[in-house]
Amino acid sequence: MAALTQELSVGARTEILDLLLRLIHNDDEDVSEACQQAARQGLWLFYAEIAAARGPDTVAYACDILKLIESDRTRLSDYGASGRFDVRPSWIGSQPSDPQAFETLCRRLRA
């Protein structure tokens, strides 16, 4: 995860995020849970990766990771509705606390 704080090519970032996703979501529940706990220590890295919007794959992987590790669903949902990044609401997993912002996001995504 520390590599994500460095200047890397989009391809390298994509590979790192793909690997992290595979580590935190795998068939071994003990390994998966341990990796999820470790990833939660760098939660901000995944939000930063989304905000940077370096590429669709990096955003998608970061969203998928956050869906698995973010315990504050309201924060994740509200961040998505804030307009700081464009993702399908289904990636977020729940409606934001501000329905107006959610509708605005949906209209923009349909356009």
Side-chain angles (χ1 to χ4, degrees), residues 2 7 9-11 13-17 21 23 26 31 36 52 56 59 61 67 71 86-87 90 98 101 106 109-110:
E7 290 296 321
S9 69
V10 173
R13 286 183 177 282
T14 300
E15 292 299 319
I16 290 168
L17 290 165
L21 180 59
L23 289 170
N26 63 67
V31 171
Q36 287 178 24
V59 171
Y61 281 126
K67 281 177 53 178
S71 58
D86 290 333
V87 297
S90 62
D98 180 356
C106 289
L109 292 174
R110 284 191 287 264

Coordinates of all heavy atoms in Angstrom, one line a residue, residues 2 7 9-11 13-17 21 23 26 31 36 52 56 59 61 67 71 86-87 90 98 101 106 109-110:
A2 N 2.0 1.2 0.6 CA 2.9 2.3 0.7 C 3.3 2.8 -0.7 O 3.5 4.0 -0.9 CB 4.1 2.0 1.5
E7 N 4.9 8.4 -6.9 CA 4.5 8.6 -8.3 C 4.7 7.3 -9.0 O 5.8 6.7 -9.1 CB 5.4 9.7 -8.9 CG 5.2 11.1 -8.3 CD 3.8 11.6 -8.7 OE1 3.3 11.3 -9.8 OE2 3.2 12.2 -7.9
S9 N 3.1 4.9 -12.6 CA 2.3 4.9 -13.8 C 0.9 4.4 -13.5 O 0.7 3.7 -12.5 CB 2.9 4.0 -14.9 OG 2.8 2.7 -14.5
V10 N 0.0 4.7 -14.3 CA -1.4 4.3 -14.1 C -1.4 2.7 -14.2 O -2.1 2.1 -13.4 CB -2.4 4.9 -15.2 CG1 -3.7 4.2 -15.1 CG2 -2.5 6.4 -15.0
G11 N -0.7 2.2 -15.0 CA -0.6 0.7 -15.1 C -0.1 0.1 -13.8 O -0.6 -0.9 -13.4
R13 N -0.3 1.4 -10.8 CA -1.3 1.6 -9.8 C -2.4 0.6 -10.0 O -2.9 0.0 -9.0 CB -1.9 3.0 -9.9 CG -1.0 4.1 -9.4 CD -1.6 5.5 -9.4 NE -0.7 6.4 -8.8 CZ -0.5 6.5 -7.5 NH1 -1.2 5.8 -6.7 NH2 0.4 7.3 -7.1
T14 N -2.8 0.4 -11.2 CA -3.9 -0.6 -11.5 C -3.5 -2.0 -11.0 O -4.3 -2.7 -10.4 CB -4.2 -0.7 -13.0 OG1 -4.6 0.6 -13.4 CG2 -5.3 -1.7 -13.3
E15 N -2.2 -2.4 -11.3 CA -1.8 -3.7 -10.8 C -1.7 -3.8 -9.3 O -2.1 -4.8 -8.7 CB -0.4 -4.0 -11.4 CG -0.4 -4.2 -12.9 CD -1.2 -5.4 -13.3 OE1 -1.2 -6.5 -12.6 OE2 -1.9 -5.3 -14.3
I16 N -1.3 -2.7 -8.6 CA -1.2 -2.7 -7.2 C -2.6 -2.8 -6.6 O -2.9 -3.6 -5.7 CB -0.5 -1.5 -6.6 CG1 1.0 -1.6 -7.0 CG2 -0.7 -1.3 -5.1 CD1 1.8 -0.3 -6.8
L17 N -3.5 -2.0 -7.1 CA -4.9 -2.1 -6.6 C -5.6 -3.4 -6.9 O -6.3 -3.9 -6.0 CB -5.7 -0.9 -7.2 CG -5.3 0.5 -6.7 CD1 -5.9 1.5 -7.6 CD2 -5.7 0.7 -5.3
L21 N -6.9 -5.9 -4.0 CA -8.3 -6.4 -4.0 C -8.3 -7.9 -3.8 O -9.1 -8.5 -3.1 CB -9.0 -5.9 -5.2 CG -10.5 -6.4 -5.4 CD1 -11.3 -5.9 -4.2 CD2 -11.1 -5.9 -6.7
L23 N -6.1 -9.7 -2.4 CA -5.7 -10.1 -1.0 C -6.8 -9.9 0.0 O -7.0 -10.7 0.9 CB -4.5 -9.2 -0.6 CG -3.2 -9.6 -1.3 CD1 -2.1 -8.5 -0.9 CD2 -2.7 -11.0 -0.9
N26 N -10.6 -12.9 -0.9 CA -10.2 -14.2 -1.4 C -10.9 -15.4 -0.6 O -11.7 -15.1 0.2 CB -8.7 -14.4 -1.3 CG -8.2 -14.3 0.1 OD1 -8.4 -15.2 0.9 ND2 -7.4 -13.3 0.5
V31 N -7.1 -15.0 6.1 CA -6.2 -14.2 5.3 C -6.9 -12.9 4.8 O -6.5 -11.8 5.0 CB -5.6 -14.9 4.1 CG1 -4.8 -14.0 3.2 CG2 -4.7 -16.0 4.6
Q36 N -7.9 -7.2 5.2 CA -8.9 -6.1 5.3 C -8.5 -5.2 6.4 O -8.6 -3.9 6.3 CB -10.3 -6.6 5.4 CG -10.8 -7.2 4.2 CD -12.2 -7.8 4.3 OE1 -13.0 -7.4 5.2 NE2 -12.6 -8.8 3.5
A52 N -8.2 11.2 -7.4 CA -7.2 11.5 -8.4 C -7.7 11.1 -9.8 O -7.2 11.7 -10.8 CB -5.9 10.8 -8.1
P56 N -10.1 4.8 -15.3 CA -11.3 4.1 -14.9 C -11.0 2.8 -14.1 O -11.7 2.5 -13.1 CB -12.0 3.7 -16.2 CG -11.0 3.9 -17.3 CD -9.9 4.8 -16.8
V59 N -10.0 3.8 -10.4 CA -11.2 4.2 -9.7 C -12.0 3.0 -9.3 O -12.5 2.9 -8.2 CB -12.0 5.3 -10.5 CG1 -13.3 5.5 -9.8 CG2 -11.2 6.5 -10.6
Y61 N -11.2 -0.2 -9.0 CA -10.6 -1.0 -8.0 C -10.6 -0.4 -6.6 O -10.9 -1.0 -5.6 CB -9.1 -1.3 -8.3 CG -8.9 -2.4 -9.4 CD1 -8.1 -2.2 -10.5 CD2 -9.5 -3.7 -9.2 CE1 -8.0 -3.2 -11.4 CE2 -9.3 -4.7 -10.1 CZ -8.5 -4.4 -11.3 OH -8.4 -5.4 -12.2
K67 N -15.7 -0.7 -0.8 CA -16.9 -1.4 -0.5 C -16.7 -2.5 0.5 O -17.6 -2.8 1.3 CB -17.5 -1.9 -1.8 CG -18.3 -0.9 -2.6 CD -18.8 -1.4 -3.9 CE -19.7 -2.7 -3.7 NZ -20.2 -3.2 -5.0
S71 N -16.1 0.8 6.9 CA -17.2 0.5 7.9 C -18.2 1.6 8.0 O -19.3 1.4 8.4 CB -16.6 0.2 9.3 OG -15.8 1.3 9.7
D86 N -16.9 10.3 -10.2 CA -18.1 9.7 -10.9 C -18.0 8.2 -10.9 O -17.2 7.6 -11.5 CB -18.1 10.2 -12.4 CG -18.5 11.7 -12.5 OD1 -19.1 12.2 -11.6 OD2 -18.0 12.3 -13.5
V87 N -18.9 7.6 -10.1 CA -19.0 6.2 -10.1 C -20.5 5.9 -10.1 O -21.4 6.7 -9.8 CB -18.4 5.5 -8.9 CG1 -16.9 5.8 -8.8 CG2 -19.1 6.0 -7.6
S90 N -24.4 2.0 -7.8 CA -24.3 0.6 -7.3 C -22.9 0.2 -6.8 O -22.8 -0.7 -6.0 CB -24.6 -0.3 -8.5 OG -23.7 -0.2 -9.5
D98 N -28.1 12.4 1.8 CA -28.7 13.6 1.1 C -29.3 13.1 -0.2 O -28.6 13.0 -1.2 CB -27.7 14.6 0.9 CG -28.2 15.9 0.1 OD1 -29.4 15.9 -0.2 OD2 -27.4 16.8 0.0
A101 N -28.6 15.2 -3.4 CA -27.2 15.0 -4.0 C -27.2 13.7 -4.8 O -26.6 13.6 -5.8 CB -26.2 15.0 -2.9
C106 N -27.0 10.8 -10.0 CA -27.6 9.9 -11.0 C -27.9 10.6 -12.3 O -27.7 10.0 -13.4 CB -28.9 9.3 -10.4 SG -28.6 8.2 -9.1
L109 N -24.7 11.0 -14.2 CA -24.2 9.8 -14.8 C -25.0 9.3 -16.0 O -24.5 8.6 -16.8 CB -24.2 8.7 -13.7 CG -23.2 8.9 -12.6 CD1 -23.4 7.9 -11.5 CD2 -21.8 8.9 -13.1
R110 N -26.3 9.6 -16.0 CA -27.2 9.2 -17.1 C -26.9 10.1 -18.3 O -27.3 9.7 -19.4 CB -28.6 9.3 -16.7 CG -29.1 8.1 -15.8 CD -30.6 8.1 -15.7 NE -31.1 9.1 -14.8 CZ -31.3 9.0 -13.5 NH1 -31.2 7.9 -12.9 NH2 -31.8 10.0 -12.8

